[in-house]
């Protein structure tokens, strides 16, 4: 297979595998709404945890934890496929498993292949897969496999970076080579310092063609180091100084997290004049609070900041950082007329992202649901650029309809909307027997979902309803701003309008999504 026309990148590690759905992808006749399928039930779904997206020729691929892979021709309908890793993984990865991650408490490789990232390496003329082979107590390794065809078969090449090493085990790694010492520095022995789990690789090229890999999970932070494009492995010619909360001789450049806070599944996307860093906070289970936070930088190595100027790097321990205000939360659990109350997305996370050939950006992630326990599926949303340089996720799943960048008539935009704010401290907590007040989502059967308020956008540029304010749209564009007044004061949001099919029934409605005050908002016309 030839090199991809569009190259993308990756995301995270699952602790529990849901059954992969054996589905056949096809393109259904166009719906009157403009969606690719006639009804929601026609969509061919797939379960791929931690989906890393890449495009080869005219086919999209996602690679995920536990040897789950799928492909699609339209980013809507997916089908699973298999390769030699699907069945022969114990032969292919057996040596590195025995040499490093395998331990008495974690002795089976089967559930320990996490969050692979697949990229095309032009120098090698190969597809490169970077996969976490996970062990107990952070004893993990990210390895490289290569293939001539993106669908395989795959050949093991070697290790890229290790974690969980100690003085008595360092000889089995490249750590002595990099550090020039046979003794493990104390910083690698503490998850509150620089002890990480070497998982969740994301590989990309910067503007100069330099190859980088981001990786890491929780506690010790997220890091990045240079790769050698000639081998696909670590670039041993590049060295890094030890600077607290900035760089480390073995792990490279620190980009996020640290000091025992949550954070995993780092993903970088270069578009719109910025490098965007996506990080998943909290725990991945249905009620674990899993969520995507967004930061950006002009430089691939950072610093990565949110809209309020908060750094993605933590310099002190913060309990439950996933309830705090660092990072823009792109989406949460929402119950409104546009979705099915039994299929509310919850614990959305470990995303990848891409910019397609036509310039449209997408976020690809896995989500669990309000009534389906730990089952999960892949979802795709369009990422809409804002006038002030952020990316905001569309309010509804991508089903073939994109936002019209040329804009819409004012008559299409004005009207009654449901509005939700993706508050950082709200997370899905399951059914609640009795509706409560004081921020406990009175009036819904679920605890921890966002409920809408009603607003009206008037043609004269004013906003009335449960929030008041003003709005405007740039002429000849879908770019918009809206200023809303609430009990917390006045906030101006920048975003974009998009006429999209709803998740519930594919009825096409006007929506907008925007970012302001370090928060994301969605609105859907009723």
């Amino acid at each position: 297979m030839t090199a991809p026309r569009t190259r993308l990148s990756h995301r995270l590690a699952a602790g529990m595998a849901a059954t992969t759905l054996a589905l056949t992808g096809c393109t259904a006749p166009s719906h009157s709404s403009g969606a690719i399928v006639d009804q929601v039930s026609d969509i061919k779904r797939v379960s791929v945890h931690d989906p890393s997206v890449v495009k080869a020729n005219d086919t999209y691929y996602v690679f995920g934890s536990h040897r789950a892979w799928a492909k699609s021709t339209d980013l809507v309908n997916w089908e699973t496929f298999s390769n030699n890793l699907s069945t022969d993984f114990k032969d292919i990865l057996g040596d590195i498993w025995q040499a490093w991650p395998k331990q008495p408490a974690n002795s089976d490789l089967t559930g320990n292949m996490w969050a692979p990232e697949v990229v095309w390496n032009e120098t090698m003329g190969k597809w490169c897969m970077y996969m976490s082979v996970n062990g107990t107590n952070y004893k993990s390794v990210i390895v490289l496999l290569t293939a001539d065809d993106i669908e395989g078969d795959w050949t093991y090449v070697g290790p890229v970076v290790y974690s969980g090493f100690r003085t008595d085990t360092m000889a089995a790694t490249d750590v002595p080579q990099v550090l020039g010492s046979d003794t493990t520095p104390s910083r690698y022995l503490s998850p509150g310092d620089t002890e990480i789990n070497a998982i969740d690789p994301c590989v990309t090229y910067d503007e100069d063609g330099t190859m980088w890999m981001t990786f890491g999970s929780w506690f010790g932070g997220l890091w990045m180091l240079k790769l050698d494009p000639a081998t696909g492995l670590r670039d041993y010619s590049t060295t890094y100084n030890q600077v607290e909360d900035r760089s480390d001789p073995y792990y490279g450049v620190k980009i996020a997290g640290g000091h025992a806070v949550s954070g995993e599944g780092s993903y970088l996307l270069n578009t719109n004049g910025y490098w965007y860093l996506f990080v998943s906070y909290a725990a991945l289970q249905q009620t674990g609070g899993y969520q995507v936070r967004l930061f950006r930088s002009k430089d691939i190595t950072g610093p990565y900041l949110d809209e309020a100027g908060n750094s993605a790097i933590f310099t002190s321990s913060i309990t439950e950082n996933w309830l705090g205000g660092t990072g823009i939360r792109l989406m949460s659990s929402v119950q409104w007329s546009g979705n099915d109350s039994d299929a509310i997305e919850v614990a959305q996370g470990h995303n990848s992202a891409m910019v397609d050939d036509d310039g449209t950006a997408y976020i690809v992630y896995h989500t669990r649901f309000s009534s389906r326990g730990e089952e999960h599926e892949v979802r795709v949303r369009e990422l809409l650029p804002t006038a002030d340089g952020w990316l905001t996720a569309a309010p509804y799943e991508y089903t073939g309809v994109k936002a019209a960048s040329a804009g819409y008539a004012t008559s299409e935009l004005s009207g009654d909307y449901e509005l939700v704010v993706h508050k950082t401290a709200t997370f899905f907590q399951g059914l609640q027997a009795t509706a409560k007040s004081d921020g406990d989502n009175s009036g819904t059967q679920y605890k921890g979902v966002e409920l809408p308020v009603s607003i009206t956008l008037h043609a004269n540029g004013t906003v009335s309803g449960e929030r008041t304010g003003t709005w405007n749209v740039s002429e000849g564009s879908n770019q918009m701003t809206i200023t809303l007044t609430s009990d917390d004061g006045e906030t101006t949001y920048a975003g974009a309008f998009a006429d999209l099919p709803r998740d519930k029934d594919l009825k096409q409605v006007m929506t907008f999504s925007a970012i302001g005050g370090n928060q994301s908002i969605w609105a859907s016309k009723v």
Side-chain angles (χ1 to χ4, degrees):
M1 181 172 288
T2 57
R5 294 209 316 258
T6 302
R7 194 196 60 75
L8 325 163
S9 294
H10 130 291
R11 246 106 190 88
L12 146 60
M16 48 194 74
T19 302
T20 300
L21 305 180
L23 302 173
T24 301
C26 64
T27 302
S30 177
H31 185 267
S32 59
S33 69
I36 286 174
V37 292
D38 283 322
Q39 51 190 346
V40 176
S41 60
D42 291 337
I43 298 175
K44 305 301 185 292
R45 304 290 192 185
V46 70
S47 295
V48 177
H49 211 274
D50 317 326
S52 170
V53 66
V54 61
K55 188 178 183 182
N57 300 319
D58 292 320
T59 301
Y60 306 91
Y61 292 86
V62 287
F63 294 85
S65 293
H66 311 303
R67 309 177 316 285
W69 359 96
K71 59 184 177 179
S72 171
T73 58
D74 53 24
L75 280 177
V76 178
N77 298 289
W78 297 89
E79 62 174 322
T80 59
F81 66 96
S82 61
N83 52 45
N84 63 328
L85 274 174
S86 303
T87 55
D88 303 334
F89 60 91
K90 289 187 178 180
D91 292 331
I92 298 167
L93 297 171
D95 288 346
I96 187 65
W97 171 249
Q98 293 286 341
W100 190 249
K102 184 179 178 180
Q103 299 157 75
N106 189 20
S107 61
D108 187 357
L109 174 60
T110 304
N112 287 291
M113 290 159 284
W114 290 1
E117 163 85 320
V118 174
V119 298
W120 173 255
N121 185 316
E122 185 71 38
T123 304
M124 297 175 67
K126 298 279 188 180
W127 288 99
C128 289
M129 175 186 287
Y130 296 85
M131 176 185 286
S132 314
V133 183
N134 180 67
T136 303
N137 297 324
Y138 313 112
K139 197 177 181 184
S140 303
V141 59
I142 294 173
V143 302
L144 169 64
L145 304 100
T146 61
D148 294 321
D149 188 287
I150 192 169
E151 295 189 24
D153 284 341
W154 295 92
T155 301
Y156 177 75
V157 175
V160 182
V161 66
Y162 291 87
S163 64
F165 44 83
R166 299 291 186 267
T167 297
D168 62 345
T169 60
M170 283 175 61
T173 75
D174 65 346
V175 179
Q177 175 186 349
V178 175
L179 298 185
S181 171
D182 294 325
T183 303
T184 302
S186 60
R187 63 182 180 274
Y188 298 123
L189 307 180
S190 169
D193 195 332
T194 316
E195 185 176 30
I196 71 165
N197 201 10
I199 62 173
D200 299 353
C202 166
V203 177
T204 191
Y205 292 82
D206 67 17
E207 299 89 339
D208 299 324
T210 302
M211 194 175 189
W212 294 89
M213 181 178 76
T214 71
F215 59 97
S217 176
W218 286 62
F219 310 129
L222 304 176
W223 299 79
M224 67 187 304
L225 51 77
K226 286 185 182 180
L227 301 180
D228 180 353
T231 65
L233 302 172
R234 183 189 184 110
D235 178 4
Y236 288 99
S237 67
T238 299
T239 59
Y240 308 90
N241 295 324
Q242 184 183 346
V243 180
E244 186 177 6
D245 293 323
R246 180 56 185 161
S247 65
D248 178 80
Y250 185 67
Y251 289 129
V253 179
K254 190 174 186 179
I255 57 171
H259 294 273
V261 303
S262 76
E264 60 189 10
S266 57
Y267 195 88
L268 293 180
L269 181 69
N270 186 17
T271 187
N272 204 29
Y274 288 93
W275 284 94
Y276 296 91
L277 170 64
F278 302 82
V279 180
S280 290
Y281 281 4
L284 58 84
Q285 290 86 355
Q286 183 196 41
T287 58
Y290 215 41
Q291 58 191 263
V292 177
R293 299 287 181 113
L294 181 65
F295 304 85
R296 72 182 184 188
S297 174
K298 285 290 188 180
D299 192 312
I300 191 172
T301 58
Y304 286 93
L305 309 175
D306 64 16
E307 190 190 29
N310 300 312
S311 173
I313 295 173
F314 285 78
T315 57
S316 62
S317 180
I318 297 178
T319 303
E320 296 181 328
N321 66 303
W322 49 280
L323 298 176
T326 297
I328 300 170
R329 184 177 184 177
L330 284 186
M331 62 188 83
S332 61
S333 301
V334 175
Q335 185 172 2
W336 58 3
S337 60
N339 62 10
D340 186 337
S341 61
D342 290 328
I344 298 171
E345 289 189 11
V346 304
Q348 306 117 306
H350 201 118
N351 73 285
S352 55
M354 62 169 285
V355 178
D356 212 344
D357 300 334
D358 64 357
T360 306
Y362 300 94
I363 182 171
V364 182
Y365 60 100
H366 72 250
T367 182
R368 289 170 169 78
F369 303 91
S370 54
S371 61
R372 293 167 58 181
E374 299 307 324
E375 293 180 19
H376 53 79
E377 291 176 346
V378 172
R379 289 293 184 271
V380 179
R381 293 178 190 264
E382 186 176 354
L383 285 171
L384 304 170
T386 70
D388 55 355
W390 287 101
L391 296 175
T392 180
Y396 293 120
E397 173 188 10
Y398 175 72
T399 53
V401 179
K402 304 172 187 177
S405 60
Y408 306 91
T410 303
S411 59
E412 296 179 89
L413 304 178
S414 57
D416 298 329
Y417 287 80
E418 293 176 312
L419 171 76
V420 295
V421 178
H422 299 298
K423 295 187 287 291
T424 58
T426 303
F427 67 101
F428 181 76
Q429 299 172 64
L431 291 169
Q432 59 181 30
T434 305
K436 302 175 183 178
S437 57
D438 298 327
D440 221 5
N441 291 322
S442 178
T444 179
Q445 61 178 326
Y446 295 111
K447 182 178 181 181
V449 301
E450 300 293 359
L451 298 177
V453 297
S454 299
I455 63 170
T456 300
L457 304 190
H458 298 280
N460 66 1
T462 61
V463 180
S464 64
E466 294 181 72
R467 300 288 185 271
T468 60
T470 59
W471 71 281
N472 67 75
V473 61
S474 300
E475 185 175 354
S477 168
N478 68 342
Q479 296 288 293
M480 56 86 69
T481 60
I482 185 168
T483 300
L484 297 174
T485 301
S486 68
D487 293 340
D488 297 325
E490 188 176 89
T491 304
T492 297
Y493 303 84
F497 284 104
D499 192 24
L500 302 175
R502 305 191 312 181
D503 291 344
K504 181 178 182 179
D505 52 15
L506 299 183
K507 174 185 176 182
Q508 197 148 326
V509 296
M510 186 59 65
T511 72
F512 66 83
S513 54
I515 291 173
N518 219 37
Q519 287 188 318
S520 299
I521 60 172
W522 285 349
S524 176
K525 208 169 187 181
V526 293

